[in-house]
Amino acid sequence: MTTASPPLTASAAAAVAGYRRLLRRRLLLLALLVAAAIGAFLLDLASGASGLSLREAVMTLVAPDAASRTSLVIIRDIRLPQAVMAVMVGMALALAGAEMQTVLNNPLASPLTLGTSSAAVFGAALAIVLGVGVPFIPLSWIISANAFVFAFGSMLLIQALSRARGAGSETVVLFGIALFFSFNALVGLLQYVASEQALQQLVFWTLGSLGRASWDKAVLLALVLAFTIPFSLAAAWRLTALRLGAERAESFGVNVARVRLWSLVRVSVLTGAAVSFVGIIGFIGLVAPHMARLLVGEDHRLFLPASALTGALVLSLAATASKLIVPGAVLPVGIVTALVGVPVFMLLMFGRRT
Amino acid sequence: MSDALSLHVHEVSVGYGRREVVRGLSLAPLRGGCVTALVGPNAAGKSTLLRTIAGLLPMRGRVSLGAVDLAGLSRAERAARIGFMPQSLPGGVALTVMETVMGALRAGGDAAPISGSEMQTRAALALDDLGIGALALETLDKLSGGQRQLASLAQALVRRPDVLLLDEPTSALDLRHQVVVMSILRRLAGEGRLVVAVLHDLALAARWADHVVVLSEGRCAAEGAPSQTISSAVLASVYGVEGRVETCSRGMLQIMVDGPLPPSAQKTGET
């Protein structure tokens, strides 16, 4: 057989032209998602207890010299790190959820539903309450390191089970739910023996809140994203092929076991980092990939970025809502994402059925 | 693709855990330019053998393409030479037909990477070749059973493999689409490819295949031309049914099954 393609037939040319139109439309949707995410980020920045307007907030950022000292402190040290954190946590969780759904071939997979987040919280709790941690890690990172190690451990368990003979995707989800309850129970046990101060910290973790965001955490999460996203995108075609079934992908020449393993490493790093900084924020990892799928389909070159952007958009909006629902108070954003996420998810599922 | 294309199965054993499904199986060489039908009752090891040849299952023994041992090929090399079509595509996948075919072309990596536009062109031509160019932008879930099988076939063909392995390509199809798929397989073999299909329907195998391999409990019960392999003796010993195989006025084999054999008769039929 020759390697050069024969000339295009009329029908093949029409197919190529049609595909390019579809691709352009989806790239435009991706650009709109970027714009929407930036809009939501600014909205997040402009809302808060102190009543600074959007214009004041932006002016403070653009011309810090002209701004008053209080607004400078409010914007630069409080609102901006929180808003940046919301964007990045949204991206991290959504990307983790998208990869999990593909790799485990399970539309209900997400860091929350498979127990990964709970495992990370338990790891963090071990460090906070008992001071047990990964050796040779500086004290300031021990909570994050523990969260990652436990997240990865739970992912390996899930992976081992999904590769075991006869375990279907339903079994894997049931096992994930079992992990979820087990780790929650273990965290409950730790809460029981925890000091008052450690207890407060644990509650923060289990509710999920952006309230403790800081610049050094934001920088670290940015590094995690910068390190994982290129690998995710490099695996895009292999992940797309995996949607057609493991055997099918294998017959295309994909090393499915390796793709799965590295994907789960990325998922663990993303989940562990996100959870150790802001606690459990549920449903972003579940809902954002579904929304992205409806927008751009499942070509992972588009689906992964769209999931990350949708995650950023949704979490920024949730963070904004968490400041507006009860005037003068900021709710933990995990409560908001759960309240909004569950009905949205139900709608999505019913919408897909019909 | 040369006329000398041939696939050799030698002393192949495959099992799941401790259960051996294919047992020390050796076959006469399968030839390029021919459609080979793998037939046999349920659990005879048909799909297992096919997936083993595709390199999807660990095995003992040797499968070679000409002089090349398939075990020695890298994944990408194997995927370039052997196309595999599983029984069905999964549901609930938000991919267009075009995207799935591009994925088939791109996912396994290439010896020589191709540009985005060449990838699109080759995918579109693969669809056009099977007469489904108009379905390029349809989502997989919106296709009918027959269209899905053709889309799946396009994925297996887009790398232009010499060998095409198909696991029950006609099982979910109505009469017309069965014939459409089988005639496409005949055409692909006519272009010099080596086509092996697991078929449940003996009548389809008799009508469309050049070569038939009858498997029974992981062993070869008969192999050769349809007229030599599909017989009332094989129907009795392998399938446990009483039947007649006759030649119609057009010279085609006709298989008539009259009923199940009683268990005692089955035993004697086997010897």
Side-chain angles (χ1 to χ4, degrees):
Chain A
M1 293 227 147
T2 54
T3 43
S5 293
L8 270 181
T9 58
S11 134
V16 169
Y19 173 72
R20 288 187 182 153
R21 270 197 304 278
L22 180 72
L23 196 60
R24 272 199 298 277
R25 195 163 70 233
R26 286 175 170 177
L27 284 171
L28 182 67
L29 277 171
L30 216 54
L32 288 176
L33 264 179
V34 172
I38 292 174
F41 168 75
L42 290 175
L43 207 60
D44 187 13
L45 204 58
S47 56
S50 60
L52 282 175
S53 73
L54 176 60
R55 199 175 154 277
E56 284 169 298
V58 173
M59 282 314 290
T60 310
L61 283 180
V62 176
D65 298 336
S68 77
R69 209 176 150 67
T70 25
S71 51
L72 196 62
V73 167
I74 289 171
I75 293 296
R76 199 181 56 195
D77 297 341
I78 300 173
R79 284 197 196 168
L80 193 57
Q82 288 190 12
V84 168
M85 207 66 177
V87 167
M88 290 196 300
V89 167
M91 289 174 80
L93 290 174
L95 202 55
E99 288 213 36
M100 279 171 106
Q101 288 174 12
T102 294
V103 165
L104 300 171
N105 185 26
N106 200 319
L108 297 176
S110 77
L112 182 79
T113 48
L114 290 191
T116 324
S117 294
S118 305
V121 165
F122 177 65
L126 273 182
I128 297 164
V129 178
L130 302 178
V132 177
V134 188
F136 312 118
I137 295 281
L139 210 60
S140 48
W141 298 125
I142 210 157
I143 293 172
S144 307
N146 262 22
F148 163 73
V149 167
F150 276 81
F152 189 51
S154 78
M155 285 274 62
L156 284 182
L157 270 176
I158 293 269
Q159 151 90 348
L161 187 87
S162 61
R163 285 177 73 177
R165 214 154 65 81
S169 53
E170 293 82 3
T171 318
V172 172
V173 167
L174 284 177
F175 186 68
I177 291 169
L179 277 186
F180 175 82
F181 282 118
S182 310
F183 283 118
N184 279 3
L186 287 171
V187 170
L189 191 68
L190 285 176
Q191 283 179 341
Y192 197 72
V193 300
S195 68
E196 200 155 315
Q197 196 197 355
L199 187 64
Q200 221 178 9
Q201 230 179 330
L202 274 181
V203 169
F204 154 79
W205 248 284
T206 44
L207 285 181
S209 158
L210 295 163
R212 296 193 185 190
S214 65
W215 279 117
D216 56 340
K217 289 175 183 171
V219 167
L220 193 75
L221 193 53
L223 286 176
V224 166
L225 282 170
F227 188 72
T228 44
I229 288 175
F231 286 102
S232 291
L233 290 178
W237 275 120
R238 294 188 285 277
L239 290 167
T240 303
L242 206 50
R243 290 297 291 123
L244 299 172
E247 254 191 4
R248 173 118 275 207
E250 194 80 45
S251 82
F252 297 157
V254 177
N255 187 340
V256 171
R258 188 187 295 172
V259 170
R260 282 193 173 138
L261 182 68
W262 283 110
S263 178
L264 293 183
V265 169
R266 290 193 292 274
V267 167
S268 310
V269 171
L270 290 168
T271 308
V275 167
S276 68
F277 295 149
V278 299
I280 292 188
I281 294 179
F283 298 99
I284 300 290
L286 191 65
V287 171
H290 281 279
M291 293 169 77
R293 201 173 280 126
L294 290 177
L295 286 175
V296 300
E298 281 188 295
D299 175 345
H300 281 57
R301 293 176 303 166
L302 301 169
F303 171 59
L304 294 176
S307 294
L309 288 168
T310 310
L313 169 66
V314 172
L315 193 52
S316 291
L317 290 177
T320 309
S322 76
K323 293 184 244 181
L324 300 178
I325 290 173
V326 181
V330 180
L331 292 175
V333 75
I335 294 175
V336 178
T337 58
L339 286 176
V340 179
V342 174
V344 169
F345 180 66
M346 301 277 273
L347 275 176
L348 276 172
M349 290 319 280
F350 286 123
R352 284 171 72 88
R353 287 279 157 78
T354 51
Chain B
M1 212 178 301
S2 64
D3 293 333
L5 186 68
S6 62
L7 186 74
H8 304 264
V9 175
H10 183 70
E11 294 285 328
V12 167
S13 297
V14 198
Y16 301 100
R18 283 199 179 161
R19 197 167 57 91
E20 275 215 324
V21 179
V22 174
R23 301 163 184 178
L25 181 75
S26 296
L27 296 177
L30 308 179
R31 298 286 173 202
C34 293
V35 174
T36 298
L38 275 181
V39 303
N42 290 335
K46 305 181 296 288
S47 293
T48 303
L49 176 61
L50 196 79
R51 282 152 68 215
T52 304
I53 299 173
L56 300 175
L57 294 174
M59 56 143 197
R60 281 178 290 122
R62 182 183 151 97
V63 178
S64 56
L65 195 55
V68 182
D69 190 340
L70 290 184
L73 294 182
S74 73
R75 286 165 197 277
E77 285 167 340
R78 198 193 62 215
R81 302 209 65 186
I82 301 181
F84 171 74
M85 178 174 150
Q87 262 183 47
S88 59
L89 290 170
V93 179
L95 286 170
T96 63
V97 173
M98 182 86 169
E99 285 167 334
T100 65
V101 178
M102 293 194 314
L105 191 56
R106 207 56 180 283
D110 282 289
I114 53 172
S115 70
S117 100
E118 192 192 341
M119 172 178 72
Q120 293 164 11
T121 306
R122 278 180 64 176
L125 284 169
L127 294 176
D128 194 40
D129 188 44
L130 299 178
I132 51 169
L135 299 177
L137 301 182
E138 289 291 334
T139 309
L140 221 46
D141 272 355
K142 297 212 172 107
L143 302 185
S144 71
Q147 292 170 336
R148 281 171 78 85
Q149 287 304 75
L150 291 178
S152 180
L153 188 55
Q155 293 161 24
L157 281 172
V158 69
R159 279 170 176 259
R160 303 171 185 151
D162 303 330
V163 178
L164 187 59
L165 307 170
L166 308 101
D167 196 356
E168 298 195 23
T170 56
S171 60
L173 302 185
D174 60 32
L175 213 49
R176 183 186 142 72
H177 284 99
Q178 286 183 8
V179 175
V180 167
V181 167
M182 289 314 293
S183 55
I184 286 173
L185 296 189
R186 274 244 62 94
R187 172 167 70 77
L188 294 170
E191 292 166 7
R193 285 189 186 78
L194 196 159
V195 179
V196 184
V198 169
L199 293 178
H200 244 297
D201 187 340
L202 279 179
L204 275 184
R207 166 72 181 80
W208 295 93
D210 308 290
H211 185 80
V212 176
V213 174
V214 185
L215 290 182
S216 174
E217 298 180 349
R219 295 196 174 87
C220 178
E223 57 183 330
S227 57
Q228 294 161 353
T229 44
I230 300 174
S231 63
S232 53
V234 164
L235 289 178
S237 63
V238 175
Y239 287 90
V241 296
E242 191 182 352
R244 291 162 287 151
V245 180
E246 290 167 11
T247 310
C248 77
S249 56
R250 287 199 185 172
M252 306 283 185
L253 286 186
Q254 300 295 320
I255 301 154
M256 284 146 288
V257 177
D258 298 316
L261 281 177
S264 57
Q266 250 186 81
K267 283 262 162 58
T268 54
E270 219 160 79
T271 53

